[in-house]
Amino acid sequence: MGAALDPRIKIEMLQAAYKKLDPSTSSLKIKELKDSLSALYKDYQKRSQTSSSGVSLTPTPQEIVTESPLEDDYDN
């Protein structure tokens, strides 16, 4: 249950679901999703930097996706 709710694993779960539903367009859909999430994150990051005078300690999207405490559970 935790893996289904973990935002760091949802892309992998969507990718598997897209491959089952429509393998011919699954990679395109995942690329569009990642591009949209990246653009959204960059917008939030820009707003955060302009609203604060200090350095932002917000992790990058790559750090968020690769730091999964449930990764071992997902493989099992």
Side-chain angles (χ1 to χ4, degrees), residues 1 22 24 43-44 50 56 66-67 70 75:
M1 184 65 146
D22 188 6
S24 63
D43 184 52
Y44 283 137
T50 57
S56 176
T66 58
E67 294 177 1
L70 299 175
D75 291 337

Side-chain angles (χ1 to χ4, degrees), residues 3-76:
L5 299 174
D6 188 335
R8 296 168 289 189
I9 298 175
K10 283 187 179 185
I11 290 178
E12 292 175 14
M13 294 181 78
L14 276 174
Q15 191 171 22
Y18 282 152
K19 282 182 181 179
K20 286 184 180 183
L21 292 173
D22 188 6
S24 63
T25 63
S26 65
S27 60
L28 177 63
K29 290 178 182 178
I30 293 297
K31 183 183 179 324
E32 288 175 1
L33 173 66
K34 287 181 179 181
D35 291 345
S36 295
L37 289 173
S38 181
L40 179 64
Y41 181 83
K42 287 177 184 176
D43 184 52
Y44 283 137
Q45 189 176 35
K46 182 172 62 173
R47 291 178 191 212
S48 174
Q49 288 174 351
T50 57
S51 66
S52 66
S53 59
V55 176
S56 176
L57 299 175
T58 308
T60 65
Q62 182 65 24
E63 291 170 338
I64 292 171
V65 171
T66 58
E67 294 177 1
S68 176
L70 299 175
E71 192 169 289
D72 294 333
D73 292 339
Y74 180 71
D75 291 337
N76 293 329

